[in-house]
Amino acid sequence: MSDTDAQATTTPTIVVGYSAKPEGSAALRTAIVEAGRRDARLIVVHTSSADEVVALTEELDQSGVPYEVRKAPDELDPADEVINAAEESHAVFIVIGLRRRSPVGKLLLGSNAQRVLLDASCPVLAVKAEPVAGS
């Protein structure tokens, strides 16, 4: 068993879906707090550019939480990668960000968020971004 395998079996894991948007940042912040509370490691599944990953890893390094960063192979449909990461790591839960929607938009949930909520085999914590001033 590798060190990574041993760590995965002894340390709780939280998977977080991340994009460089307000809802992705809210999910990451929440996941970092929860990982700290639970002495858990993070698996961050992202859809970010290389420049955005630099800022992401800097924030994770500063958090002091053990982490792994994975690029979603399909930037338009990262739900499968989030769900697979959670299943492979036996995650205690998944954290995803939800964007605020107009009254009409509230009738529909984003397809990635909906897929994670409905298809994940572990609990899912959905968080909202802070409201933008003037909206």
Side-chain angles (χ1 to χ4, degrees):
M1 184 182 313
S2 72
D3 288 341
T4 304
D5 292 338
Q7 182 181 14
T9 59
T10 60
T11 303
T13 300
I14 297 170
V15 174
V16 57
Y18 175 79
S19 64
K21 297 178 181 174
E23 59 271 16
S25 295
L28 181 65
R29 284 191 307 271
T30 299
I32 288 170
V33 168
E34 293 300 323
R37 287 181 180 157
R38 292 170 168 74
D39 290 323
R41 70 184 186 107
L42 290 180
I43 296 177
V44 182
V45 177
H46 72 89
T47 59
S48 302
S49 69
D51 291 341
E52 293 164 339
V53 172
V54 171
L56 169 64
T57 56
E58 286 174 359
E59 184 172 354
L60 289 164
D61 287 342
Q62 290 175 5
S63 76
V65 172
Y67 68 89
E68 174 186 342
V69 175
R70 297 183 186 181
K71 174 99 170 134
D74 181 355
E75 292 183 19
L76 297 177
D77 189 14
D80 282 336
E81 186 65 24
V82 169
I83 292 166
N84 290 339
E87 289 174 357
E88 291 169 6
S89 66
H90 305 286
V92 292
F93 62 90
I94 297 169
V95 182
I96 59 172
L98 299 177
R99 64 178 163 261
R100 296 187 182 275
R101 299 197 174 259
S102 67
V104 172
K106 288 179 183 178
L107 296 173
L108 302 171
L109 184 63
S111 62
N112 285 313
Q114 183 174 13
R115 287 194 41 230
V116 172
L117 286 166
L118 295 175
D119 295 344
S121 59
C122 64
V124 178
L125 174 60
V127 298
K128 294 180 189 176
E130 292 294 320
V132 178
S135 27

Short mmCIF file of all heavy atoms in Angstrom, two decimals, residues 11-12 20 22 27 46 48 50 55 60 72 91 95 98-99 117 122 129 132:
data_model
loop_
_atom_site.label_atom_id
_atom_site.label_comp_id
_atom_site.label_asym_id
_atom_site.label_seq_id
_atom_site.Cartn_x
_atom_site.Cartn_y
_atom_site.Cartn_z
N THR A 11 -7.37 8.80 6.89
CA THR A 11 -7.76 10.19 7.01
C THR A 11 -9.08 10.42 6.28
O THR A 11 -9.20 10.05 5.12
CB THR A 11 -6.68 11.10 6.40
OG1 THR A 11 -5.44 10.83 7.05
CG2 THR A 11 -7.03 12.56 6.57
N PRO A 12 -10.05 11.03 6.95
CA PRO A 12 -11.29 11.35 6.23
C PRO A 12 -11.00 12.26 5.04
O PRO A 12 -10.06 13.06 5.08
CB PRO A 12 -12.15 12.07 7.25
CG PRO A 12 -11.48 11.90 8.57
CD PRO A 12 -10.06 11.52 8.31
N ALA A 20 -13.15 29.08 -10.62
CA ALA A 20 -12.70 30.42 -10.19
C ALA A 20 -13.85 31.42 -10.35
O ALA A 20 -13.75 32.41 -11.05
CB ALA A 20 -11.48 30.84 -11.00
N PRO A 22 -17.39 33.08 -7.88
CA PRO A 22 -17.78 33.28 -6.48
C PRO A 22 -18.31 32.00 -5.81
O PRO A 22 -17.97 31.71 -4.67
CB PRO A 22 -18.85 34.37 -6.54
CG PRO A 22 -18.50 35.14 -7.78
CD PRO A 22 -17.97 34.12 -8.75
N ALA A 27 -17.42 27.44 -2.04
CA ALA A 27 -17.30 26.00 -1.80
C ALA A 27 -15.92 25.67 -1.24
O ALA A 27 -15.79 24.89 -0.29
CB ALA A 27 -17.57 25.22 -3.09
N HIS A 46 -11.27 20.72 -10.14
CA HIS A 46 -11.41 22.08 -10.67
C HIS A 46 -11.58 22.10 -12.19
O HIS A 46 -11.28 21.14 -12.88
CB HIS A 46 -10.22 22.94 -10.27
CG HIS A 46 -8.96 22.59 -11.00
ND1 HIS A 46 -8.63 23.16 -12.21
CD2 HIS A 46 -7.98 21.70 -10.72
CE1 HIS A 46 -7.48 22.66 -12.62
NE2 HIS A 46 -7.06 21.77 -11.74
N SER A 48 -10.37 25.08 -13.72
CA SER A 48 -9.67 26.36 -13.81
C SER A 48 -8.54 26.34 -14.82
O SER A 48 -7.99 25.29 -15.14
CB SER A 48 -9.11 26.73 -12.43
OG SER A 48 -10.15 26.78 -11.49
N ALA A 50 -4.60 27.42 -15.95
CA ALA A 50 -3.31 27.25 -15.25
C ALA A 50 -3.04 28.42 -14.30
O ALA A 50 -2.56 28.22 -13.18
CB ALA A 50 -2.19 27.10 -16.27
N ALA A 55 -3.21 30.39 -8.02
CA ALA A 55 -3.87 31.04 -6.89
C ALA A 55 -4.57 30.01 -6.00
O ALA A 55 -4.55 30.12 -4.77
CB ALA A 55 -4.87 32.08 -7.40
N LEU A 60 -4.66 26.92 -0.86
CA LEU A 60 -4.63 25.63 -0.18
C LEU A 60 -3.38 25.47 0.67
O LEU A 60 -3.45 24.96 1.79
CB LEU A 60 -4.74 24.50 -1.21
CG LEU A 60 -6.11 24.35 -1.86
CD1 LEU A 60 -6.02 23.50 -3.12
CD2 LEU A 60 -7.11 23.78 -0.88
N ALA A 72 -10.70 18.52 -13.88
CA ALA A 72 -11.82 17.81 -14.51
C ALA A 72 -11.53 17.70 -16.00
O ALA A 72 -11.24 18.71 -16.64
CB ALA A 72 -13.13 18.55 -14.27
N ALA A 91 -15.19 9.47 0.33
CA ALA A 91 -15.34 10.79 0.94
C ALA A 91 -16.48 10.81 1.96
O ALA A 91 -17.50 10.14 1.77
CB ALA A 91 -15.61 11.84 -0.14
N VAL A 95 -18.53 19.04 -1.25
CA VAL A 95 -18.96 20.44 -1.15
C VAL A 95 -19.03 21.02 -2.55
O VAL A 95 -18.08 20.90 -3.33
CB VAL A 95 -17.98 21.28 -0.29
CG1 VAL A 95 -18.49 22.72 -0.17
CG2 VAL A 95 -17.78 20.67 1.08
N LEU A 98 -23.29 26.88 -5.24
CA LEU A 98 -24.46 27.20 -6.07
C LEU A 98 -24.47 28.70 -6.33
O LEU A 98 -24.19 29.49 -5.44
CB LEU A 98 -25.75 26.82 -5.35
CG LEU A 98 -25.94 25.36 -5.00
CD1 LEU A 98 -27.25 25.17 -4.23
CD2 LEU A 98 -25.94 24.50 -6.24
N ARG A 99 -24.81 29.06 -7.55
CA ARG A 99 -24.90 30.49 -7.85
C ARG A 99 -26.33 30.96 -7.61
O ARG A 99 -27.28 30.19 -7.72
CB ARG A 99 -24.43 30.79 -9.27
CG ARG A 99 -25.26 30.18 -10.35
CD ARG A 99 -24.71 30.59 -11.72
NE ARG A 99 -25.24 29.72 -12.73
CZ ARG A 99 -24.61 28.68 -13.25
NH1 ARG A 99 -23.41 28.39 -12.85
NH2 ARG A 99 -25.17 27.94 -14.17
N LEU A 117 -25.85 16.37 -6.67
CA LEU A 117 -26.83 16.18 -5.59
C LEU A 117 -27.59 14.86 -5.73
O LEU A 117 -27.84 14.18 -4.74
CB LEU A 117 -27.82 17.35 -5.57
CG LEU A 117 -27.28 18.66 -5.01
CD1 LEU A 117 -28.22 19.80 -5.35
CD2 LEU A 117 -27.07 18.56 -3.51
N CYS A 122 -22.60 9.85 -1.32
CA CYS A 122 -22.33 10.39 0.01
C CYS A 122 -23.10 11.72 0.14
O CYS A 122 -23.61 12.24 -0.84
CB CYS A 122 -20.83 10.60 0.21
SG CYS A 122 -20.08 11.81 -0.90
N ALA A 129 -22.60 31.57 -2.76
CA ALA A 129 -21.62 32.66 -2.69
C ALA A 129 -22.25 33.84 -1.96
O ALA A 129 -23.47 33.98 -1.91
CB ALA A 129 -21.20 33.06 -4.10
N VAL A 132 -23.37 39.79 -4.21
CA VAL A 132 -22.56 40.89 -4.74
C VAL A 132 -23.27 42.19 -4.43
O VAL A 132 -24.49 42.29 -4.57
CB VAL A 132 -22.37 40.73 -6.27
CG1 VAL A 132 -21.59 41.89 -6.84
CG2 VAL A 132 -21.72 39.41 -6.58
#
